[in-house]
Amino acid sequence: MPEGDTVFRAAARLDAALNGQEVTRFDLRVPQLATIDLTGEVVHNVVPRGKHLLMRIGDQTLHSHLKMEGEWHVYPPGEKWRAPAFKARAVVGNAHAVAVGFDLAMIDVVSTRDEGDLVDYLGPDPLRDDWDPAEAARRVVRDARPIHVALLDQRNVAGFGNVYANEILFVRGVLPETPATKTDAAAIIDVGARMIRANRGRAVRTFTGDSRRGQNTWVYGRENRSCRRCGTRILTGELGADAMKNRNVFWCPRCQT
């Protein structure tokens, strides 16, 4: 599931393949952007911002968001794509590599000087050099909603998705429905930042230290199974900012009080 660490790795792969190279192929397969052509321009860099990707080409920025299913692949020129071509939404190529964005939920092209209009609403990002944990904690603790919902709000802190929210709260022993105002937000943010930083370089995300399939989470996706700490049955439910944004939550009723 694409979260901040997934986007961080995607940006690193894209930057390694495209940075400093002249664009020889540019194809956006969405109607409103189909006529934009940046061939001949040079890619300056590709950077992550929370769950957003910013590809700076010439004086323009190609912005994309992976949402739930999106992904970027990098191929040598001429190599067969690993996903169907009809799922491709963006293609950026040079003499040495072709980057293809599949199932991208959001694509924009804006002047680089205006890219802040798309991402400046985001809260502090633990994977950026300007990470400000105190500001992230301040935003979270002022949020009157359940702590699980507050952690998912990208305006509070950028990069945490549903997997992280569940795992962070288990490690801190906090029930997902606890009002954020009644939590130790600084400690929660510290745990989350350490988790996502530890995972940013891993091919397989893990929270337990074990990267084997089915062994890498404490509670996420483990409903009705025994808690790895105390043996109590893991419970599941739903929480969200509203009924249309509910996310699955998982918790141990004994470890999270």
Side-chain angles (χ1 to χ4, degrees), residues 70-82:
E71 56 185 351
W72 278 93
H73 296 181
V74 176
Y75 302 96
E79 182 173 300
K80 183 178 179 180
W81 296 351
R82 297 188 301 276

Side-chain angles (χ1 to χ4, degrees), residues 50 77 79 84 86 88 97 123 158 194 244 249:
E79 182 173 300
F86 72 85
R194 287 190 283 119
M244 299 299 293
V249 293

